[in-house]
């Protein structure tokens, strides 16, 4: 791979990472509610999901899905289901907390999302992992990116090195997002406008899930 190929790969990847999507929203909301530590575990879960997609791409799964579109369809429906259920859970917890003043309880996605609450490391990590894995279109994107950037006959070591660099960029970006999301200004802003923020985020997740099936 020459310098031009590396530059194209890194620029394309960085732009795709910083574009707001379900991963970014999950990290942002986690930081605003549960703090930086929780958001960083969500970020680690997202990065683990990206790593899984990259490994599967290098293993040639994207080619398998092109030959067997039924498998890809099942993956899309499962991912869409997760996003829709998560979006509905955000809307439901917001609605439920409007009529409660007691200590938040524990729901399907961990404690009810009220600023200052806490949840387990596994719950945070799982949220990030499943949010990223919910979009099998990532596999198509990675496959197309690698085919476009890598020269014919590129060695396995070159591809592994590139994958490692991409994962490092992912970890750095989402860790930065998690740190920013847990700042006092973000937490304060969330507390003041929680009803509207959760309504928008819940609807966005539901729409993203539906778009995964229909688009």
């Amino acid at each position: 791979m020459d310098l031009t190929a590396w530059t194209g790969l890194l620029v394309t990847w960085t732009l795709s990472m910083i574009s707001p999507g379900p991963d970014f929203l999950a990290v942002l909301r986690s930081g605003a509610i549960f703090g930086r530590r929780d958001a960083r575990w969500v970020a680690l879960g997202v990065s683990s999901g990206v790593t899984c997609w990259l490994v599967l791409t290098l293993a040639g799964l994207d080619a398998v899905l092109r030959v067997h579109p039924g498998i890809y369809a099942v993956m899309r429906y499962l991912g869409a289901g997760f996003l829709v259920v998560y979006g509905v859970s955000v809307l439901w917890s917001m609605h439920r907390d409007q009529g409660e003043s007691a200590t938040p309880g524990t729901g399907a996605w961990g404690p009810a999302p009220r600023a200052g609450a806490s949840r387990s490391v596994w719950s945070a990590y799982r949220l990030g992992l499943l949010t990223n894995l919910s979009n099998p279109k990532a596999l198509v994107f990675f496959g197309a990116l690698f085919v476009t950037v890598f020269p014919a006959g590129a060695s396995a070591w070159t591809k592994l090195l590139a994958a490692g660099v991409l994962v490092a960029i992912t970890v750095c970006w989402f860790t930065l997002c998690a740190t920013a999301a847990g700042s006092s200004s973000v937490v304060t802003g969330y507390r003041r406008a929680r009803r509207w923020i959760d309504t928008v985020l819940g609807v966005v997740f539901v729409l993203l899930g539906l778009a995964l099936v229909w688009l």
Side-chain angles (χ1 to χ4, degrees):
M1 270 179 75
D2 57 21
L3 180 59
T4 302
W6 275 106
T7 302
L9 177 65
L10 298 181
V11 170
T12 302
W13 184 262
T14 301
L15 291 176
S16 69
M17 285 296 102
I18 66 177
S19 299
D23 298 330
F24 174 78
L25 295 177
V27 171
L28 184 64
R29 185 169 181 270
S30 296
I33 298 170
F34 301 105
R36 285 176 177 165
R37 177 177 175 272
D38 184 276
R40 286 170 180 162
W41 279 105
V42 176
L44 183 60
V46 169
S47 301
S48 298
V50 170
T51 303
C52 290
W53 288 128
L54 285 170
V55 171
L56 292 174
T57 300
L58 294 177
L61 183 60
D62 57 316
V64 173
L65 295 183
R66 286 195 294 270
V67 177
H68 301 284
I71 299 177
Y72 178 64
V74 171
M75 294 172 65
R76 284 174 55 203
Y77 284 120
L78 290 175
F82 170 80
L83 291 177
V84 170
V85 169
Y86 180 61
V88 170
S89 74
V90 171
L91 296 172
W92 171 247
S93 62
M94 180 271 298
H95 172 74
R96 177 187 57 194
D97 284 355
Q98 284 182 347
E100 294 181 357
S101 58
T103 301
T106 300
W109 303 101
R114 183 174 297 167
S118 62
R119 62 181 173 188
S120 69
V121 166
W122 167 242
S123 294
Y125 176 83
R126 179 184 61 191
L127 173 61
L129 178 65
L130 293 179
T131 300
N132 185 267
L133 293 181
S134 68
N135 186 10
K137 291 184 178 180
L139 190 62
V140 178
F141 168 72
F142 295 161
L145 180 64
F146 279 15
V147 168
T148 302
V149 172
F150 287 116
S155 68
W157 287 112
T158 299
K159 294 181 179 181
L160 286 173
L161 174 61
V165 172
L166 300 186
V167 170
I169 292 174
T170 303
V171 172
C172 291
W173 167 247
F174 282 107
T175 299
L176 179 63
C177 291
T179 301
S183 64
S184 58
S185 58
V186 173
V187 173
T188 300
Y190 175 81
R191 288 175 176 174
R192 290 176 177 173
R194 173 175 176 261
R195 176 181 177 184
W196 298 106
I197 292 174
D198 278 4
T199 298
V200 171
L201 291 182
V203 171
V204 167
F205 272 104
V206 171
L207 291 179
L208 287 171
L210 297 177
L212 189 58
V213 174
W214 288 328
L215 299 181

mmCIF file of all heavy atoms in Angstrom, residues 119-155:
data_model
loop_
_atom_site.group_PDB
_atom_site.id
_atom_site.type_symbol
_atom_site.label_atom_id
_atom_site.label_comp_id
_atom_site.label_asym_id
_atom_site.label_seq_id
_atom_site.Cartn_x
_atom_site.Cartn_y
_atom_site.Cartn_z
ATOM 1 N N ARG A 119 -24.824 1.748 36.664
ATOM 2 C CA ARG A 119 -25.135 0.413 36.176
ATOM 3 C C ARG A 119 -23.829 -0.361 36.058
ATOM 4 O O ARG A 119 -22.741 0.195 36.167
ATOM 5 C CB ARG A 119 -25.850 0.473 34.832
ATOM 6 C CG ARG A 119 -25.043 1.109 33.715
ATOM 7 C CD ARG A 119 -25.823 1.159 32.423
ATOM 8 N NE ARG A 119 -25.113 1.913 31.393
ATOM 9 C CZ ARG A 119 -25.642 2.236 30.210
ATOM 10 N NH1 ARG A 119 -26.873 1.863 29.918
ATOM 11 N NH2 ARG A 119 -24.941 2.932 29.343
ATOM 12 N N SER A 120 -23.943 -1.650 35.833
ATOM 13 C CA SER A 120 -22.758 -2.495 35.806
ATOM 14 C C SER A 120 -21.918 -2.235 34.564
ATOM 15 O O SER A 120 -22.404 -1.743 33.544
ATOM 16 C CB SER A 120 -23.169 -3.969 35.849
ATOM 17 O OG SER A 120 -23.818 -4.340 34.636
ATOM 18 N N VAL A 121 -20.642 -2.592 34.682
ATOM 19 C CA VAL A 121 -19.721 -2.476 33.553
ATOM 20 C C VAL A 121 -20.223 -3.308 32.380
ATOM 21 O O VAL A 121 -20.169 -2.870 31.219
ATOM 22 C CB VAL A 121 -18.312 -2.926 33.982
ATOM 23 C CG1 VAL A 121 -17.420 -3.138 32.759
ATOM 24 C CG2 VAL A 121 -17.685 -1.897 34.918
ATOM 25 N N TRP A 122 -20.720 -4.502 32.667
ATOM 26 C CA TRP A 122 -21.203 -5.388 31.605
ATOM 27 C C TRP A 122 -22.389 -4.770 30.865
ATOM 28 O O TRP A 122 -22.479 -4.868 29.643
ATOM 29 C CB TRP A 122 -21.587 -6.743 32.179
ATOM 30 C CG TRP A 122 -22.366 -7.595 31.220
ATOM 31 C CD1 TRP A 122 -23.628 -8.061 31.381
ATOM 32 C CD2 TRP A 122 -21.934 -8.067 29.931
ATOM 33 N NE1 TRP A 122 -24.022 -8.791 30.297
ATOM 34 C CE2 TRP A 122 -23.005 -8.820 29.392
ATOM 35 C CE3 TRP A 122 -20.758 -7.932 29.196
ATOM 36 C CZ2 TRP A 122 -22.923 -9.423 28.141
ATOM 37 C CZ3 TRP A 122 -20.682 -8.537 27.951
ATOM 38 C CH2 TRP A 122 -21.748 -9.271 27.431
ATOM 39 N N SER A 123 -23.310 -4.126 31.597
ATOM 40 C CA SER A 123 -24.468 -3.505 30.954
ATOM 41 C C SER A 123 -24.028 -2.409 29.995
ATOM 42 O O SER A 123 -24.561 -2.287 28.886
ATOM 43 C CB SER A 123 -25.410 -2.925 32.013
ATOM 44 O OG SER A 123 -25.986 -3.948 32.794
ATOM 45 N N ALA A 124 -23.046 -1.621 30.418
ATOM 46 C CA ALA A 124 -22.546 -0.545 29.563
ATOM 47 C C ALA A 124 -21.827 -1.109 28.338
ATOM 48 O O ALA A 124 -22.072 -0.672 27.205
ATOM 49 C CB ALA A 124 -21.607 0.361 30.360
ATOM 50 N N TYR A 125 -20.955 -2.082 28.578
ATOM 51 C CA TYR A 125 -20.198 -2.682 27.473
ATOM 52 C C TYR A 125 -21.139 -3.369 26.480
ATOM 53 O O TYR A 125 -20.990 -3.234 25.259
ATOM 54 C CB TYR A 125 -19.195 -3.692 28.025
ATOM 55 C CG TYR A 125 -18.421 -4.432 26.958
ATOM 56 C CD1 TYR A 125 -17.297 -3.858 26.373
ATOM 57 C CD2 TYR A 125 -18.813 -5.703 26.542
ATOM 58 C CE1 TYR A 125 -16.573 -4.532 25.399
ATOM 59 C CE2 TYR A 125 -18.116 -6.379 25.561
ATOM 60 C CZ TYR A 125 -16.992 -5.795 24.997
ATOM 61 O OH TYR A 125 -16.296 -6.460 24.016
ATOM 62 N N ARG A 126 -22.110 -4.080 27.004
ATOM 63 C CA ARG A 126 -23.071 -4.795 26.158
ATOM 64 C C ARG A 126 -23.867 -3.837 25.286
ATOM 65 O O ARG A 126 -24.115 -4.121 24.102
ATOM 66 C CB ARG A 126 -24.020 -5.609 27.036
ATOM 67 C CG ARG A 126 -25.094 -6.384 26.267
ATOM 68 C CD ARG A 126 -26.028 -7.076 27.231
ATOM 69 N NE ARG A 126 -26.714 -6.113 28.086
ATOM 70 C CZ ARG A 126 -27.429 -6.467 29.153
ATOM 71 N NH1 ARG A 126 -27.537 -7.727 29.489
ATOM 72 N NH2 ARG A 126 -28.031 -5.535 29.878
ATOM 73 N N LEU A 127 -24.254 -2.696 25.861
ATOM 74 C CA LEU A 127 -24.999 -1.718 25.085
ATOM 75 C C LEU A 127 -24.183 -1.237 23.881
ATOM 76 O O LEU A 127 -24.685 -1.184 22.754
ATOM 77 C CB LEU A 127 -25.381 -0.521 25.956
ATOM 78 C CG LEU A 127 -26.037 0.655 25.215
ATOM 79 C CD1 LEU A 127 -27.338 0.222 24.557
ATOM 80 C CD2 LEU A 127 -26.265 1.821 26.162
ATOM 81 N N GLY A 128 -22.922 -0.900 24.118
ATOM 82 C CA GLY A 128 -22.068 -0.451 23.025
ATOM 83 C C GLY A 128 -21.842 -1.517 21.984
ATOM 84 O O GLY A 128 -21.902 -1.253 20.768
ATOM 85 N N LEU A 129 -21.606 -2.742 22.442
ATOM 86 C CA LEU A 129 -21.353 -3.853 21.523
ATOM 87 C C LEU A 129 -22.559 -4.141 20.650
ATOM 88 O O LEU A 129 -22.457 -4.242 19.420
ATOM 89 C CB LEU A 129 -20.971 -5.099 22.327
ATOM 90 C CG LEU A 129 -20.717 -6.378 21.514
ATOM 91 C CD1 LEU A 129 -19.495 -6.210 20.611
ATOM 92 C CD2 LEU A 129 -20.524 -7.575 22.457
ATOM 93 N N LEU A 130 -23.738 -4.271 21.272
ATOM 94 C CA LEU A 130 -24.944 -4.611 20.520
ATOM 95 C C LEU A 130 -25.390 -3.469 19.617
ATOM 96 O O LEU A 130 -25.923 -3.714 18.526
ATOM 97 C CB LEU A 130 -26.067 -5.001 21.479
ATOM 98 C CG LEU A 130 -25.850 -6.289 22.270
ATOM 99 C CD1 LEU A 130 -27.029 -6.559 23.199
ATOM 100 C CD2 LEU A 130 -25.635 -7.474 21.333
ATOM 101 N N THR A 131 -25.184 -2.244 20.061
ATOM 102 C CA THR A 131 -25.546 -1.106 19.213
ATOM 103 C C THR A 131 -24.745 -1.134 17.925
ATOM 104 O O THR A 131 -25.277 -0.922 16.829
ATOM 105 C CB THR A 131 -25.311 0.224 19.942
ATOM 106 O OG1 THR A 131 -26.118 0.265 21.123
ATOM 107 C CG2 THR A 131 -25.678 1.408 19.056
ATOM 108 N N ASN A 132 -23.442 -1.408 18.035
ATOM 109 C CA ASN A 132 -22.621 -1.465 16.828
ATOM 110 C C ASN A 132 -22.944 -2.685 15.978
ATOM 111 O O ASN A 132 -23.057 -2.581 14.747
ATOM 112 C CB ASN A 132 -21.141 -1.466 17.203
ATOM 113 C CG ASN A 132 -20.246 -1.411 15.989
ATOM 114 O OD1 ASN A 132 -19.810 -2.443 15.463
ATOM 115 N ND2 ASN A 132 -19.981 -0.214 15.500
ATOM 116 N N LEU A 133 -23.113 -3.838 16.617
ATOM 117 C CA LEU A 133 -23.389 -5.058 15.859
ATOM 118 C C LEU A 133 -24.790 -5.078 15.261
ATOM 119 O O LEU A 133 -25.091 -5.943 14.439
ATOM 120 C CB LEU A 133 -23.206 -6.284 16.761
ATOM 121 C CG LEU A 133 -21.779 -6.573 17.231
ATOM 122 C CD1 LEU A 133 -21.757 -7.831 18.104
ATOM 123 C CD2 LEU A 133 -20.827 -6.735 16.051
ATOM 124 N N SER A 134 -25.634 -4.125 15.655
ATOM 125 C CA SER A 134 -27.008 -4.106 15.137
ATOM 126 C C SER A 134 -27.067 -3.687 13.672
ATOM 127 O O SER A 134 -28.109 -3.835 13.037
ATOM 128 C CB SER A 134 -27.875 -3.153 15.973
ATOM 129 O OG SER A 134 -27.467 -1.803 15.781
ATOM 130 N N ASN A 135 -25.966 -3.169 13.134
ATOM 131 C CA ASN A 135 -25.976 -2.684 11.752
ATOM 132 C C ASN A 135 -25.069 -3.520 10.854
ATOM 133 O O ASN A 135 -23.880 -3.230 10.712
ATOM 134 C CB ASN A 135 -25.538 -1.222 11.701
ATOM 135 C CG ASN A 135 -25.663 -0.626 10.302
ATOM 136 O OD1 ASN A 135 -26.247 -1.238 9.406
ATOM 137 N ND2 ASN A 135 -25.114 0.550 10.118
ATOM 138 N N PRO A 136 -25.615 -4.572 10.226
ATOM 139 C CA PRO A 136 -24.780 -5.421 9.356
ATOM 140 C C PRO A 136 -24.325 -4.706 8.090
ATOM 141 O O PRO A 136 -23.456 -5.212 7.379
ATOM 142 C CB PRO A 136 -25.718 -6.592 9.026
ATOM 143 C CG PRO A 136 -27.093 -6.030 9.160
ATOM 144 C CD PRO A 136 -27.002 -5.039 10.290
ATOM 145 N N LYS A 137 -24.895 -3.521 7.816
ATOM 146 C CA LYS A 137 -24.429 -2.770 6.655
ATOM 147 C C LYS A 137 -22.972 -2.349 6.818
ATOM 148 O O LYS A 137 -22.306 -2.024 5.835
ATOM 149 C CB LYS A 137 -25.310 -1.532 6.433
ATOM 150 C CG LYS A 137 -26.720 -1.865 5.964
ATOM 151 C CD LYS A 137 -27.523 -0.609 5.654
ATOM 152 C CE LYS A 137 -28.913 -0.956 5.137
ATOM 153 N NZ LYS A 137 -29.717 0.252 4.828
ATOM 154 N N ALA A 138 -22.498 -2.367 8.070
ATOM 155 C CA ALA A 138 -21.095 -2.057 8.309
ATOM 156 C C ALA A 138 -20.200 -3.053 7.593
ATOM 157 O O ALA A 138 -19.126 -2.696 7.075
ATOM 158 C CB ALA A 138 -20.806 -2.075 9.813
ATOM 159 N N LEU A 139 -20.636 -4.293 7.539
ATOM 160 C CA LEU A 139 -19.851 -5.333 6.874
ATOM 161 C C LEU A 139 -19.730 -5.036 5.379
ATOM 162 O O LEU A 139 -18.662 -5.198 4.787
ATOM 163 C CB LEU A 139 -20.504 -6.697 7.096
ATOM 164 C CG LEU A 139 -19.701 -7.929 6.680
ATOM 165 C CD1 LEU A 139 -18.403 -8.017 7.473
ATOM 166 C CD2 LEU A 139 -20.520 -9.191 6.892
ATOM 167 N N VAL A 140 -20.812 -4.578 4.783
ATOM 168 C CA VAL A 140 -20.793 -4.214 3.363
ATOM 169 C C VAL A 140 -19.868 -3.025 3.142
ATOM 170 O O VAL A 140 -19.084 -2.990 2.187
ATOM 171 C CB VAL A 140 -22.219 -3.894 2.874
ATOM 172 C CG1 VAL A 140 -22.198 -3.462 1.408
ATOM 173 C CG2 VAL A 140 -23.140 -5.100 3.069
ATOM 174 N N PHE A 141 -19.955 -2.041 4.044
ATOM 175 C CA PHE A 141 -19.109 -0.857 3.927
ATOM 176 C C PHE A 141 -17.637 -1.220 4.046
ATOM 177 O O PHE A 141 -16.798 -0.777 3.243
ATOM 178 C CB PHE A 141 -19.489 0.159 5.005
ATOM 179 C CG PHE A 141 -18.508 1.291 5.152
ATOM 180 C CD1 PHE A 141 -18.421 2.284 4.187
ATOM 181 C CD2 PHE A 141 -17.663 1.348 6.249
ATOM 182 C CE1 PHE A 141 -17.516 3.324 4.318
ATOM 183 C CE2 PHE A 141 -16.754 2.385 6.383
ATOM 184 C CZ PHE A 141 -16.681 3.376 5.414
ATOM 185 N N PHE A 142 -17.302 -2.029 5.046
ATOM 186 C CA PHE A 142 -15.908 -2.412 5.239
ATOM 187 C C PHE A 142 -15.384 -3.192 4.041
ATOM 188 O O PHE A 142 -14.244 -2.993 3.596
ATOM 189 C CB PHE A 142 -15.749 -3.261 6.511
ATOM 190 C CG PHE A 142 -16.067 -2.506 7.771
ATOM 191 C CD1 PHE A 142 -16.362 -3.188 8.938
ATOM 192 C CD2 PHE A 142 -16.086 -1.120 7.797
ATOM 193 C CE1 PHE A 142 -16.654 -2.498 10.111
ATOM 194 C CE2 PHE A 142 -16.383 -0.417 8.951
ATOM 195 C CZ PHE A 142 -16.669 -1.116 10.116
ATOM 196 N N GLY A 143 -16.223 -4.102 3.541
ATOM 197 C CA GLY A 143 -15.805 -4.888 2.386
ATOM 198 C C GLY A 143 -15.530 -4.019 1.177
ATOM 199 O O GLY A 143 -14.515 -4.173 0.492
ATOM 200 N N ALA A 144 -16.427 -3.057 0.918
ATOM 201 C CA ALA A 144 -16.244 -2.153 -0.218
ATOM 202 C C ALA A 144 -15.019 -1.269 -0.023
ATOM 203 O O ALA A 144 -14.267 -0.999 -0.969
ATOM 204 C CB ALA A 144 -17.488 -1.286 -0.397
ATOM 205 N N LEU A 145 -14.808 -0.829 1.217
ATOM 206 C CA LEU A 145 -13.656 0.022 1.511
ATOM 207 C C LEU A 145 -12.352 -0.720 1.261
ATOM 208 O O LEU A 145 -11.428 -0.191 0.632
ATOM 209 C CB LEU A 145 -13.725 0.493 2.970
ATOM 210 C CG LEU A 145 -12.585 1.395 3.448
ATOM 211 C CD1 LEU A 145 -12.580 2.708 2.684
ATOM 212 C CD2 LEU A 145 -12.722 1.661 4.955
ATOM 213 N N PHE A 146 -12.280 -1.957 1.724
ATOM 214 C CA PHE A 146 -11.047 -2.730 1.561
ATOM 215 C C PHE A 146 -10.782 -3.051 0.099
ATOM 216 O O PHE A 146 -9.651 -3.002 -0.361
ATOM 217 C CB PHE A 146 -11.121 -4.011 2.390
ATOM 218 C CG PHE A 146 -10.806 -3.804 3.848
ATOM 219 C CD1 PHE A 146 -10.781 -2.523 4.390
ATOM 220 C CD2 PHE A 146 -10.542 -4.873 4.679
ATOM 221 C CE1 PHE A 146 -10.484 -2.316 5.730
ATOM 222 C CE2 PHE A 146 -10.242 -4.688 6.024
ATOM 223 C CZ PHE A 146 -10.209 -3.400 6.552
ATOM 224 N N VAL A 147 -11.837 -3.408 -0.619
ATOM 225 C CA VAL A 147 -11.668 -3.729 -2.042
ATOM 226 C C VAL A 147 -11.184 -2.502 -2.812
ATOM 227 O O VAL A 147 -10.343 -2.597 -3.716
ATOM 228 C CB VAL A 147 -12.998 -4.235 -2.637
ATOM 229 C CG1 VAL A 147 -12.915 -4.291 -4.154
ATOM 230 C CG2 VAL A 147 -13.331 -5.608 -2.074
ATOM 231 N N THR A 148 -11.690 -1.336 -2.441
ATOM 232 C CA THR A 148 -11.333 -0.099 -3.137
ATOM 233 C C THR A 148 -9.910 0.348 -2.817
ATOM 234 O O THR A 148 -9.175 0.799 -3.703
ATOM 235 C CB THR A 148 -12.306 1.036 -2.751
ATOM 236 O OG1 THR A 148 -13.631 0.632 -3.067
ATOM 237 C CG2 THR A 148 -11.968 2.312 -3.494
ATOM 238 N N VAL A 149 -9.514 0.211 -1.567
ATOM 239 C CA VAL A 149 -8.239 0.762 -1.117
ATOM 240 C C VAL A 149 -7.061 -0.186 -1.324
ATOM 241 O O VAL A 149 -5.999 0.216 -1.800
ATOM 242 C CB VAL A 149 -8.329 1.161 0.369
ATOM 243 C CG1 VAL A 149 -6.955 1.554 0.905
ATOM 244 C CG2 VAL A 149 -9.306 2.310 0.542
ATOM 245 N N PHE A 150 -7.255 -1.446 -0.987
ATOM 246 C CA PHE A 150 -6.131 -2.383 -1.046
ATOM 247 C C PHE A 150 -5.804 -2.768 -2.484
ATOM 248 O O PHE A 150 -6.699 -3.087 -3.267
ATOM 249 C CB PHE A 150 -6.435 -3.653 -0.245
ATOM 250 C CG PHE A 150 -6.392 -3.455 1.234
ATOM 251 C CD1 PHE A 150 -7.535 -3.619 1.999
ATOM 252 C CD2 PHE A 150 -5.225 -3.084 1.869
ATOM 253 C CE1 PHE A 150 -7.505 -3.429 3.363
ATOM 254 C CE2 PHE A 150 -5.180 -2.896 3.239
ATOM 255 C CZ PHE A 150 -6.323 -3.064 3.988
ATOM 256 N N PRO A 151 -4.535 -2.765 -2.821
ATOM 257 C CA PRO A 151 -4.150 -3.211 -4.162
ATOM 258 C C PRO A 151 -4.352 -4.715 -4.290
ATOM 259 O O PRO A 151 -4.392 -5.441 -3.292
ATOM 260 C CB PRO A 151 -2.663 -2.855 -4.239
ATOM 261 C CG PRO A 151 -2.197 -2.864 -2.810
ATOM 262 C CD PRO A 151 -3.372 -2.350 -2.016
ATOM 263 N N ALA A 152 -4.513 -5.183 -5.524
ATOM 264 C CA ALA A 152 -4.692 -6.621 -5.752
ATOM 265 C C ALA A 152 -3.491 -7.380 -5.208
ATOM 266 O O ALA A 152 -2.339 -6.997 -5.417
ATOM 267 C CB ALA A 152 -4.858 -6.887 -7.241
ATOM 268 N N GLY A 153 -3.763 -8.441 -4.484
ATOM 269 C CA GLY A 153 -2.680 -9.257 -3.953
ATOM 270 C C GLY A 153 -2.051 -8.711 -2.686
ATOM 271 O O GLY A 153 -0.967 -9.155 -2.301
ATOM 272 N N ALA A 154 -2.711 -7.760 -2.024
ATOM 273 C CA ALA A 154 -2.178 -7.222 -0.765
ATOM 274 C C ALA A 154 -2.050 -8.349 0.250
ATOM 275 O O ALA A 154 -2.928 -9.212 0.360
ATOM 276 C CB ALA A 154 -3.089 -6.124 -0.243
ATOM 277 N N SER A 155 -0.973 -8.341 0.999
ATOM 278 C CA SER A 155 -0.719 -9.416 1.953
ATOM 279 C C SER A 155 -1.676 -9.355 3.138
ATOM 280 O O SER A 155 -2.254 -8.299 3.448
ATOM 281 C CB SER A 155 0.718 -9.341 2.465
ATOM 282 O OG SER A 155 0.896 -8.185 3.260
#
